[in-house]
Amino acid sequence: MNASASNNFDVIVVGGGMVGATLAAALGGSGLKTAVVETGEQPTAVAVDADFDLRISSLNLAAVRLLSDIGAWPLIPEARRCAFRRIEAWDEHDRGGIHFDAQELDLPEFGYFVENRLLSHAVWQRLEALLNVSLFTATGPVALRTDSDQAELELSSGEALTAGLVVGADGATSTIRDLARIETVDHDYQQRALIINVTTRLPQQDVSWQRFTADGPQAMLPLPGHRASLVWYGTPEQTRELEQLDDAALKEAIERDFPPRLGGIDSVLGRGSFPIRRRHARRYVTERVALVGDAAHVIHPLAGQGLNLGLQDAATLATELTAAKARGGDPGDRHVLSRYARRRRPQVQAMIAATEGFHRLFTGPAPLRLAGNVALGLADRLTLGKRLMMRIALGLVPN
Ligand SMILES: Cc1cc2nc3c(=O)[nH]c(=O)nc-3n(C[C@H](O)[C@H](O)[C@H](O)COP(=O)(O)OP(=O)(O)OC[C@H]3O[C@@H](n4cnc5c(N)ncnc54)[C@H](O)[C@@H]3O)c2cc1C
Protein backbone atom coordinates (compact mmCIF):
# COMPACT_ATOMS: atom_id res chain seq x y z
CA MET A 1 0.00 0.00 0.00
CA ASN A 2 1.44 3.36 -0.99
CA ALA A 3 0.02 6.62 0.36
CA SER A 4 0.55 9.69 -1.79
CA ALA A 5 2.27 12.64 -0.11
CA SER A 6 -1.09 14.38 0.34
CA ASN A 7 -2.37 11.33 2.25
CA ASN A 8 0.46 11.47 4.72
CA PHE A 9 -0.64 12.86 8.11
CA ASP A 10 0.67 13.39 11.62
CA VAL A 11 -2.58 12.17 13.19
CA ILE A 12 -5.55 10.27 11.74
CA VAL A 13 -8.69 10.36 13.89
CA VAL A 14 -11.00 7.48 12.96
CA GLY A 15 -14.58 8.38 13.98
CA GLY A 16 -15.94 11.90 13.67
CA GLY A 17 -18.51 11.60 16.48
CA MET A 18 -18.59 14.17 19.24
CA VAL A 19 -15.31 12.98 20.78
CA GLY A 20 -13.28 12.39 17.60
CA ALA A 21 -14.40 15.65 15.99
CA THR A 22 -13.58 17.56 19.19
CA LEU A 23 -10.11 16.01 19.30
CA ALA A 24 -9.44 17.02 15.67
CA ALA A 25 -10.73 20.55 16.35
CA ALA A 26 -8.54 20.80 19.47
CA LEU A 27 -5.52 19.97 17.27
CA GLY A 28 -6.48 22.93 15.07
CA GLY A 29 -3.80 25.30 16.31
CA SER A 30 -1.14 22.63 16.85
CA GLY A 31 0.33 22.55 13.36
CA LEU A 32 -0.24 18.78 13.25
CA LYS A 33 -1.54 17.65 9.87
CA THR A 34 -4.72 15.82 10.85
CA ALA A 35 -7.28 13.64 9.06
CA VAL A 36 -10.76 12.67 10.24
CA VAL A 37 -12.22 9.46 8.81
CA GLU A 38 -15.95 8.99 9.39
CA THR A 39 -18.21 6.23 8.06
CA GLY A 40 -21.25 8.51 8.17
CA GLU A 41 -21.93 11.74 6.33
CA GLN A 42 -21.02 15.19 7.59
CA PRO A 43 -23.61 16.33 10.22
CA THR A 44 -26.22 18.69 8.79
CA ALA A 45 -27.70 21.87 10.27
CA VAL A 46 -30.81 21.62 12.47
CA ALA A 47 -33.58 24.26 12.13
CA VAL A 48 -33.85 26.28 15.33
CA ASP A 49 -37.57 25.38 15.64
CA ALA A 50 -37.15 21.66 14.80
CA ASP A 51 -38.43 19.02 17.25
CA PHE A 52 -35.86 18.02 19.87
CA ASP A 53 -33.99 14.83 19.07
CA LEU A 54 -34.01 11.90 21.50
CA ARG A 55 -30.23 11.77 21.93
CA ILE A 56 -29.42 14.42 24.50
CA SER A 57 -26.34 14.68 26.70
CA SER A 58 -25.58 16.49 29.90
CA LEU A 59 -22.35 18.41 29.51
CA ASN A 60 -20.40 19.37 32.61
CA LEU A 61 -18.56 22.68 32.88
CA ALA A 62 -15.21 21.18 31.87
CA ALA A 63 -16.82 19.96 28.63
CA VAL A 64 -18.42 23.35 27.99
CA ARG A 65 -15.02 25.01 28.54
CA LEU A 66 -13.37 22.68 26.02
CA LEU A 67 -16.13 23.27 23.45
CA SER A 68 -15.76 27.03 23.99
CA ASP A 69 -11.98 26.80 23.54
CA ILE A 70 -12.43 25.14 20.14
CA GLY A 71 -15.06 27.73 19.13
CA ALA A 72 -17.97 25.26 18.92
CA TRP A 73 -20.03 26.29 21.95
CA PRO A 74 -21.21 29.66 20.53
CA LEU A 75 -22.44 27.79 17.42
CA ILE A 76 -25.07 25.95 19.50
CA PRO A 77 -28.13 28.24 19.57
CA GLU A 78 -29.07 29.34 23.10
CA ALA A 79 -32.70 28.37 22.37
CA ARG A 80 -31.59 24.74 22.01
CA ARG A 81 -29.51 24.33 25.17
CA CYS A 82 -30.79 24.10 28.71
CA ALA A 83 -28.69 25.00 31.76
CA PHE A 84 -29.28 23.01 34.93
CA ARG A 85 -28.53 24.56 38.29
CA ARG A 86 -30.06 22.00 40.65
CA ILE A 87 -29.83 18.22 40.87
CA GLU A 88 -32.16 16.14 43.05
CA ALA A 89 -32.32 12.41 43.75
CA TRP A 90 -34.66 10.19 45.80
CA ASP A 91 -35.19 6.53 46.55
CA GLU A 92 -38.10 4.54 45.15
CA HIS A 93 -40.39 5.63 48.00
CA ASP A 94 -39.60 9.25 47.24
CA ARG A 95 -37.60 9.36 50.49
CA GLY A 96 -34.03 10.16 51.33
CA GLY A 97 -33.79 13.02 48.91
CA ILE A 98 -30.48 14.66 48.18
CA HIS A 99 -30.36 18.14 46.74
CA PHE A 100 -27.51 19.96 45.07
CA ASP A 101 -27.56 23.58 44.13
CA ALA A 102 -24.87 25.16 41.95
CA GLN A 103 -25.02 28.19 44.23
CA GLU A 104 -23.53 26.06 47.05
CA LEU A 105 -20.37 25.87 44.96
CA ASP A 106 -20.62 29.44 43.71
CA LEU A 107 -21.18 28.12 40.20
CA PRO A 108 -23.57 29.76 37.75
CA GLU A 109 -24.79 26.28 36.71
CA PHE A 110 -23.74 22.62 36.84
CA GLY A 111 -23.83 22.24 33.10
CA TYR A 112 -26.13 22.02 30.09
CA PHE A 113 -28.35 19.56 28.27
CA VAL A 114 -27.72 19.64 24.53
CA GLU A 115 -28.79 17.44 21.62
CA ASN A 116 -25.93 15.26 20.37
CA ARG A 117 -26.66 16.16 16.73
CA LEU A 118 -26.34 19.91 17.44
CA LEU A 119 -23.06 19.39 19.23
CA SER A 120 -21.69 17.31 16.35
CA HIS A 121 -22.78 19.88 13.79
CA ALA A 122 -21.18 22.73 15.75
CA VAL A 123 -17.84 20.91 16.05
CA TRP A 124 -17.84 19.91 12.36
CA GLN A 125 -18.42 23.55 11.41
CA ARG A 126 -15.19 24.32 13.24
CA LEU A 127 -13.39 21.43 11.49
CA GLU A 128 -14.36 22.76 8.07
CA ALA A 129 -12.64 26.05 8.89
CA LEU A 130 -9.33 24.43 9.91
CA LEU A 131 -6.63 24.34 7.26
CA ASN A 132 -4.65 21.54 8.91
CA VAL A 133 -7.64 19.16 9.03
CA SER A 134 -8.76 16.96 6.07
CA LEU A 135 -12.14 15.25 6.19
CA PHE A 136 -12.84 11.79 4.72
CA THR A 137 -16.55 10.91 5.02
CA ALA A 138 -18.61 7.85 4.03
CA THR A 139 -15.57 5.61 4.44
CA GLY A 140 -13.89 3.60 7.15
CA PRO A 141 -10.77 1.55 7.79
CA VAL A 142 -10.46 -1.97 6.40
CA ALA A 143 -6.83 -2.60 7.38
CA LEU A 144 -4.30 -1.14 9.79
CA ARG A 145 -0.57 -1.81 9.79
CA THR A 146 1.81 -0.31 12.31
CA ASP A 147 5.54 -0.43 12.87
CA SER A 148 7.96 1.59 14.94
CA ASP A 149 7.99 4.39 12.31
CA GLN A 150 4.38 4.88 11.25
CA ALA A 151 0.83 3.58 10.91
CA GLU A 152 -0.81 2.77 7.56
CA LEU A 153 -4.56 2.76 7.18
CA GLU A 154 -6.44 1.35 4.22
CA LEU A 155 -9.95 2.74 3.71
CA SER A 156 -13.03 1.10 2.19
CA SER A 157 -12.95 3.89 -0.45
CA GLY A 158 -9.63 2.44 -1.67
CA GLU A 159 -7.55 5.33 -0.33
CA ALA A 160 -4.42 4.64 1.72
CA LEU A 161 -3.39 7.00 4.52
CA THR A 162 -0.26 7.06 6.65
CA ALA A 163 0.37 8.84 9.95
CA GLY A 164 2.49 8.94 13.07
CA LEU A 165 -0.59 8.14 15.12
CA VAL A 166 -4.03 6.63 14.49
CA VAL A 167 -6.67 7.49 17.07
CA GLY A 168 -9.68 5.19 17.48
CA ALA A 169 -12.64 7.49 18.22
CA ASP A 170 -15.05 5.14 16.49
CA GLY A 171 -17.34 4.39 19.41
CA ALA A 172 -18.30 1.32 21.43
CA THR A 173 -17.80 -1.18 18.59
CA SER A 174 -14.49 0.39 17.51
CA THR A 175 -12.92 -1.13 14.40
CA ILE A 176 -9.57 0.46 15.23
CA ARG A 177 -9.63 -1.22 18.66
CA ASP A 178 -10.22 -4.57 16.92
CA LEU A 179 -7.60 -3.94 14.23
CA ALA A 180 -5.08 -3.01 16.95
CA ARG A 181 -6.05 -6.20 18.83
CA ILE A 182 -6.93 -4.38 22.04
CA GLU A 183 -9.25 -6.51 24.16
CA THR A 184 -12.11 -5.22 26.29
CA VAL A 185 -13.76 -6.21 29.56
CA ASP A 186 -17.54 -6.21 28.99
CA HIS A 187 -20.62 -6.33 31.18
CA ASP A 188 -24.25 -6.41 30.06
CA TYR A 189 -26.48 -4.83 32.75
CA GLN A 190 -29.57 -6.57 31.33
CA GLN A 191 -31.17 -3.13 31.30
CA ARG A 192 -32.42 -0.77 28.64
CA ALA A 193 -32.94 2.96 28.85
CA LEU A 194 -36.16 4.22 27.32
CA ILE A 195 -35.80 7.87 26.36
CA ILE A 196 -39.08 9.75 26.00
CA ASN A 197 -39.34 13.37 24.92
CA VAL A 198 -42.43 15.02 26.36
CA THR A 199 -44.08 18.37 26.85
CA THR A 200 -44.96 18.95 30.50
CA ARG A 201 -47.54 21.12 32.18
CA LEU A 202 -44.90 22.46 34.54
CA PRO A 203 -41.95 24.40 33.18
CA GLN A 204 -38.99 22.11 34.06
CA GLN A 205 -36.28 24.64 33.41
CA ASP A 206 -33.21 24.29 35.62
CA VAL A 207 -33.58 21.14 37.73
CA SER A 208 -32.51 17.65 36.74
CA TRP A 209 -33.82 14.86 38.95
CA GLN A 210 -33.51 11.15 39.32
CA ARG A 211 -35.40 8.51 41.32
CA PHE A 212 -33.63 5.24 42.06
CA THR A 213 -35.87 2.18 41.91
CA ALA A 214 -35.04 -1.53 42.10
CA ASP A 215 -35.53 -1.84 38.29
CA GLY A 216 -33.22 1.09 37.61
CA PRO A 217 -33.48 4.86 37.82
CA GLN A 218 -36.09 7.18 36.37
CA ALA A 219 -34.77 10.58 35.41
CA MET A 220 -36.00 13.88 34.10
CA LEU A 221 -33.62 16.00 32.07
CA PRO A 222 -34.94 19.50 31.47
CA LEU A 223 -35.14 20.97 27.99
CA PRO A 224 -35.99 24.57 27.19
CA GLY A 225 -39.53 25.68 28.13
CA HIS A 226 -42.13 23.03 28.89
CA ARG A 227 -40.14 20.23 27.28
CA ALA A 228 -38.29 17.43 29.03
CA SER A 229 -36.39 14.28 28.21
CA LEU A 230 -37.39 11.38 30.46
CA VAL A 231 -35.12 8.40 30.96
CA TRP A 232 -36.80 5.23 32.19
CA TYR A 233 -34.48 2.30 32.90
CA GLY A 234 -35.86 -1.20 33.15
CA THR A 235 -35.33 -4.81 32.16
CA PRO A 236 -35.31 -5.35 28.37
CA GLU A 237 -38.82 -6.91 28.64
CA GLN A 238 -40.29 -4.01 30.67
CA THR A 239 -38.77 -1.48 28.31
CA ARG A 240 -40.04 -3.21 25.18
CA GLU A 241 -43.57 -3.31 26.63
CA LEU A 242 -43.49 0.41 27.40
CA GLU A 243 -41.93 1.27 24.06
CA GLN A 244 -44.77 -0.45 22.21
CA LEU A 245 -47.56 1.51 23.96
CA ASP A 246 -49.31 4.17 21.92
CA ASP A 247 -48.72 7.79 22.93
CA ALA A 248 -51.84 8.04 25.14
CA ALA A 249 -51.04 4.82 27.04
CA LEU A 250 -47.37 5.77 27.45
CA LYS A 251 -48.41 9.18 28.78
CA GLU A 252 -50.66 7.43 31.32
CA ALA A 253 -47.87 5.04 32.35
CA ILE A 254 -45.50 7.97 32.91
CA GLU A 255 -48.08 9.86 34.99
CA ARG A 256 -48.70 6.73 37.06
CA ASP A 257 -45.07 5.65 37.61
CA PHE A 258 -42.99 8.80 37.58
CA PRO A 259 -42.61 10.93 40.73
CA PRO A 260 -45.46 13.46 41.30
CA ARG A 261 -42.77 16.13 40.98
CA LEU A 262 -42.99 15.77 37.18
CA GLY A 263 -46.57 17.11 37.06
CA GLY A 264 -48.85 16.30 34.15
CA ILE A 265 -47.71 15.44 30.63
CA ASP A 266 -49.29 17.27 27.70
CA SER A 267 -47.85 15.12 24.96
CA VAL A 268 -45.36 12.40 24.15
CA LEU A 269 -43.14 13.69 21.34
CA GLY A 270 -40.95 10.68 20.67
CA ARG A 271 -39.38 7.59 22.23
CA GLY A 272 -36.51 5.17 21.63
CA SER A 273 -34.53 2.72 23.74
CA PHE A 274 -30.86 1.83 24.14
CA PRO A 275 -29.08 -1.19 25.69
CA ILE A 276 -26.98 -0.50 28.78
CA ARG A 277 -23.51 -1.98 28.78
CA ARG A 278 -20.12 -1.41 30.28
CA ARG A 279 -17.08 -1.97 28.09
CA HIS A 280 -13.54 -1.04 29.06
CA ALA A 281 -10.49 -1.44 26.83
CA ARG A 282 -7.67 -3.27 28.59
CA ARG A 283 -5.26 -0.70 27.14
CA TYR A 284 -5.85 2.80 25.81
CA VAL A 285 -2.69 2.81 23.70
CA THR A 286 -0.54 0.43 21.71
CA GLU A 287 2.04 0.85 18.96
CA ARG A 288 1.06 4.08 17.09
CA VAL A 289 -2.59 3.75 18.20
CA ALA A 290 -4.58 5.51 20.93
CA LEU A 291 -8.24 5.11 21.90
CA VAL A 292 -10.56 7.91 23.06
CA GLY A 293 -14.24 8.16 24.08
CA ASP A 294 -16.51 5.13 23.83
CA ALA A 295 -13.84 3.24 21.89
CA ALA A 296 -11.88 3.22 25.17
CA HIS A 297 -14.72 3.07 27.72
CA VAL A 298 -18.51 2.73 27.75
CA ILE A 299 -20.06 3.33 31.17
CA HIS A 300 -23.58 3.13 32.62
CA PRO A 301 -25.28 6.40 31.65
CA LEU A 302 -27.02 6.89 35.01
CA ALA A 303 -24.61 9.65 36.02
CA GLY A 304 -24.55 11.16 32.49
CA GLN A 305 -20.74 11.10 32.28
CA GLY A 306 -19.76 8.97 29.25
CA LEU A 307 -19.43 11.82 26.80
CA ASN A 308 -17.90 14.09 29.44
CA LEU A 309 -15.17 11.48 30.01
CA GLY A 310 -14.63 11.14 26.26
CA LEU A 311 -14.27 14.89 25.82
CA GLN A 312 -11.67 14.95 28.59
CA ASP A 313 -9.78 12.16 26.76
CA ALA A 314 -9.83 14.40 23.69
CA ALA A 315 -8.59 17.43 25.68
CA THR A 316 -5.79 15.43 27.36
CA LEU A 317 -4.60 13.74 24.16
CA ALA A 318 -4.67 17.06 22.28
CA THR A 319 -2.54 18.66 25.01
CA GLU A 320 0.02 15.82 24.92
CA LEU A 321 0.22 15.80 21.09
CA THR A 322 0.50 19.59 20.87
CA ALA A 323 3.31 19.56 23.46
CA ALA A 324 5.11 16.77 21.54
CA LYS A 325 4.84 18.79 18.32
CA ALA A 326 6.17 21.93 20.06
CA ARG A 327 9.21 19.89 21.22
CA GLY A 328 9.71 18.76 17.63
CA GLY A 329 8.74 15.24 18.68
CA ASP A 330 6.73 12.43 17.11
CA PRO A 331 2.98 12.32 17.95
CA GLY A 332 3.04 8.52 18.00
CA ASP A 333 6.02 8.30 20.34
CA ARG A 334 5.30 5.67 22.99
CA HIS A 335 6.22 8.00 25.85
CA VAL A 336 3.67 10.54 24.61
CA LEU A 337 0.99 7.84 24.35
CA SER A 338 1.84 6.34 27.75
CA ARG A 339 1.51 9.75 29.38
CA TYR A 340 -1.96 10.13 27.85
CA ALA A 341 -3.02 6.68 29.13
CA ARG A 342 -1.56 7.33 32.59
CA ARG A 343 -3.47 10.58 32.89
CA ARG A 344 -6.83 9.19 31.74
CA ARG A 345 -7.12 5.63 33.00
CA PRO A 346 -7.35 6.38 36.76
CA GLN A 347 -10.01 9.05 36.10
CA VAL A 348 -12.10 6.63 34.04
CA GLN A 349 -11.61 3.78 36.58
CA ALA A 350 -12.82 6.05 39.36
CA MET A 351 -15.92 7.07 37.39
CA ILE A 352 -16.67 3.43 36.54
CA ALA A 353 -16.38 2.52 40.24
CA ALA A 354 -18.66 5.40 41.25
CA THR A 355 -21.41 4.62 38.71
CA GLU A 356 -21.10 0.89 39.44
CA GLY A 357 -21.52 1.62 43.16
CA PHE A 358 -24.70 3.59 42.49
CA HIS A 359 -26.09 0.92 40.21
CA ARG A 360 -25.48 -1.87 42.76
CA LEU A 361 -26.78 0.12 45.73
CA PHE A 362 -30.14 0.68 44.09
CA THR A 363 -30.71 -2.43 41.99
CA GLY A 364 -28.98 -5.03 44.19
CA PRO A 365 -30.62 -7.32 46.77
CA ALA A 366 -33.08 -5.77 49.28
CA PRO A 367 -30.58 -5.16 52.16
CA LEU A 368 -28.22 -3.38 49.76
CA ARG A 369 -31.09 -1.26 48.42
CA LEU A 370 -32.06 -0.35 51.97
CA ALA A 371 -28.47 0.71 52.60
CA GLY A 372 -28.61 2.75 49.40
CA ASN A 373 -31.79 4.50 50.47
CA VAL A 374 -30.38 5.27 53.92
CA ALA A 375 -27.10 6.44 52.37
CA LEU A 376 -28.93 8.82 50.05
CA GLY A 377 -30.71 10.47 52.99
CA LEU A 378 -27.56 10.58 55.09
CA ALA A 379 -25.44 11.91 52.26
CA ASP A 380 -27.65 15.00 52.12
CA ARG A 381 -26.81 15.71 55.75
CA LEU A 382 -23.15 14.69 55.67
CA THR A 383 -21.01 17.27 54.01
CA LEU A 384 -18.44 14.70 52.91
CA GLY A 385 -21.00 12.38 51.26
CA LYS A 386 -22.70 15.26 49.56
CA ARG A 387 -19.48 16.75 48.29
CA LEU A 388 -18.46 13.34 46.92
CA MET A 389 -21.74 12.98 45.02
CA MET A 390 -21.52 16.54 43.79
CA ARG A 391 -18.03 15.89 42.47
CA ILE A 392 -19.34 12.82 40.61
CA ALA A 393 -22.17 14.89 39.11
CA LEU A 394 -19.66 17.50 38.01
CA GLY A 395 -17.44 14.87 36.48
CA LEU A 396 -14.79 15.51 39.14
CA VAL A 397 -14.26 11.95 40.25
CA PRO A 398 -12.53 11.18 43.54
CA ASN A 399 -8.79 10.65 43.21
C1 LIG B 1 -29.06 6.37 26.86
C2 LIG B 1 -27.74 7.10 26.94
C3 LIG B 1 -27.69 8.35 27.53
C4 LIG B 1 -26.46 9.01 27.64
N1 LIG B 1 -26.43 10.24 28.26
C5 LIG B 1 -25.23 10.86 28.43
C6 LIG B 1 -25.15 12.13 29.10
O1 LIG B 1 -26.16 12.70 29.51
N2 LIG B 1 -23.93 12.70 29.28
C7 LIG B 1 -22.78 12.09 28.84
O2 LIG B 1 -21.69 12.64 29.07
N3 LIG B 1 -22.83 10.90 28.18
C8 LIG B 1 -24.02 10.28 27.97
N4 LIG B 1 -24.08 9.09 27.31
C9 LIG B 1 -22.83 8.53 26.74
C10 LIG B 1 -22.51 9.19 25.40
O3 LIG B 1 -23.62 9.13 24.53
C11 LIG B 1 -21.30 8.52 24.76
O4 LIG B 1 -20.27 8.41 25.72
C12 LIG B 1 -20.80 9.35 23.58
O5 LIG B 1 -21.75 9.40 22.55
C13 LIG B 1 -19.50 8.76 23.01
O6 LIG B 1 -19.06 9.56 21.94
P1 LIG B 1 -17.96 9.01 20.93
O7 LIG B 1 -17.73 10.13 19.96
O8 LIG B 1 -16.84 8.42 21.69
O9 LIG B 1 -18.68 7.78 20.21
P2 LIG B 1 -19.93 7.80 19.19
O10 LIG B 1 -20.92 8.84 19.60
O11 LIG B 1 -20.40 6.38 19.12
O12 LIG B 1 -19.26 8.23 17.83
C14 LIG B 1 -18.48 7.34 17.07
C15 LIG B 1 -18.35 7.90 15.66
O13 LIG B 1 -17.52 7.05 14.91
C16 LIG B 1 -18.15 6.71 13.68
N5 LIG B 1 -17.67 5.37 13.32
C17 LIG B 1 -18.05 4.18 13.84
N6 LIG B 1 -17.34 3.18 13.29
C18 LIG B 1 -16.49 3.77 12.41
C19 LIG B 1 -15.50 3.26 11.54
N7 LIG B 1 -15.22 1.95 11.47
N8 LIG B 1 -14.80 4.13 10.78
C20 LIG B 1 -15.05 5.47 10.84
N9 LIG B 1 -16.00 5.99 11.64
C21 LIG B 1 -16.70 5.16 12.43
C22 LIG B 1 -19.64 6.78 13.96
O14 LIG B 1 -20.38 7.00 12.77
C23 LIG B 1 -19.68 7.96 14.91
O15 LIG B 1 -19.77 9.19 14.22
C24 LIG B 1 -25.28 8.41 27.16
C25 LIG B 1 -25.34 7.15 26.54
C26 LIG B 1 -26.56 6.49 26.44
C27 LIG B 1 -26.61 5.12 25.80
Side-chain angles (χ1 to χ4, degrees):
M1 179 176 67
N2 283 316
S4 70
S6 60
N7 279 349
N8 196 351
F9 296 91
D10 294 308
V11 181
I12 302 171
V13 181
V14 177
M18 296 177 286
V19 172
T22 299
L23 169 62
L27 294 176
S30 67
L32 288 162
K33 195 177 166 208
T34 304
V36 176
V37 176
E38 163 61 47
T39 42
E41 297 292 345
Q42 188 153 336
T44 49
V46 176
V48 80
D49 58 352
D51 284 346
F52 275 72
D53 192 47
L54 285 176
R55 294 307 308 265
I56 283 156
S57 295
S58 64
L59 293 174
N60 61 27
L61 293 181
V64 172
R65 205 175 312 123
L66 169 62
L67 293 164
S68 302
D69 288 348
I70 62 167
W73 188 245
L75 302 176
I76 300 172
E78 265 181 59
R80 307 286 300 201
R81 56 197 201 203
C82 187
F84 61 104
R85 299 182 175 87
R86 289 174 293 145
I87 303 172
E88 302 187 354
W90 320 278
D91 69 16
E92 56 194 315
H93 308 293
D94 296 338
R95 284 181 324 221
I98 185 162
H99 310 266
F100 307 113
D101 196 316
Q103 274 181 350
E104 289 176 51
L105 293 179
D106 287 328
L107 293 172
E109 62 266 318
F110 281 123
Y112 287 82
F113 289 103
V114 180
E115 288 158 272
N116 294 359
R117 60 180 182 170
L118 277 179
L119 185 51
S120 290
H121 181 249
V123 181
W124 273 74
Q125 273 181 280
R126 293 298 305 135
L127 289 183
E128 279 192 295
L130 295 172
L131 295 177
N132 66 320
V133 179
S134 305
L135 304 172
F136 296 81
T137 54
T139 185
V142 290
L144 170 71
R145 277 182 285 278
T146 63
D147 60 31
S148 54
D149 293 330
Q150 67 170 12
E152 295 182 350
L153 200 62
E154 203 178 309
L155 302 184
S156 53
S157 56
E159 284 156 299
L161 313 182
T162 58
L165 174 67
V166 170
V167 181
D170 46 351
T173 56
S174 171
T175 303
I176 290 300
R177 193 182 58 217
D178 289 346
L179 290 172
R181 295 203 172 82
I182 297 178
E183 290 178 356
T184 58
V185 180
D186 294 9
H187 175 69
D188 186 340
Y189 289 96
Q190 296 298 325
Q191 259 189 350
R192 285 184 83 81
L194 178 62
I195 315 274
I196 315 162
N197 279 2
V198 294
T199 54
T200 54
R201 275 180 220 135
L202 299 173
Q204 301 293 344
Q205 282 157 14
D206 71 350
V207 59
S208 168
W209 54 248
Q210 185 149 168
R211 173 162 73 171
F212 291 96
T213 79
D215 294 328
Q218 297 169 327
M220 197 281 307
L221 320 179
L223 293 174
H226 284 250
R227 294 187 205 87
S229 165
L230 306 181
V231 191
W232 196 343
Y233 294 87
T235 62
E237 298 74 35
Q238 288 166 335
T239 305
R240 255 189 286 280
E241 259 176 48
L242 285 169
E243 202 173 356
Q244 280 161 10
L245 296 177
D246 64 29
D247 284 356
L250 184 57
K251 172 174 166 316
E252 235 174 73
I254 295 167
E255 288 180 329
R256 191 181 55 236
D257 269 49
F258 263 61
R261 166 66 195 263
L262 179 63
I265 303 279
D266 275 331
S267 53
V268 168
L269 301 173
R271 88 281 293 273
S273 75
F274 303 87
I276 306 299
R277 298 202 182 96
R278 169 161 43 82
R279 176 167 289 166
H280 198 190
R282 287 193 188 274
R283 286 177 295 158
Y284 291 178
V285 298
T286 185
E287 187 178 66
R288 302 223 163 252
V289 173
L291 302 178
V292 292
D294 275 20
H297 42 72
V298 178
I299 66 169
H300 197 300
L302 69 84
Q305 294 300 332
L307 174 59
N308 288 309
L309 282 178
L311 292 174
Q312 289 319 305
D313 296 344
T316 305
L317 186 56
T319 306
E320 293 297 342
L321 297 180
T322 304
K325 170 76 179 171
R327 292 192 300 268
D330 166 4
D333 179 82
R334 68 189 169 88
H335 298 293
V336 174
L337 301 187
S338 302
R339 219 169 10 251
Y340 158 71
R342 272 203 310 276
R343 286 180 63 187
R344 290 308 296 152
R345 198 160 184 105
Q347 297 286 317
V348 174
Q349 297 270 31
M351 187 58 82
I352 290 175
T355 49
E356 202 62 17
F358 265 89
H359 172 74
R360 292 225 182 115
L361 267 182
F362 294 98
T363 57
L368 202 59
R369 293 208 307 273
L370 183 65
N373 297 344
V374 172
L376 204 55
L378 276 179
D380 198 44
R381 274 166 267 148
L382 297 175
T383 318
L384 198 64
K386 191 164 177 176
R387 288 193 77 84
L388 178 68
M389 288 173 72
M390 199 134 54
R391 286 176 68 81
I392 293 168
L394 287 170
L396 306 169
V397 286
N399 52 24

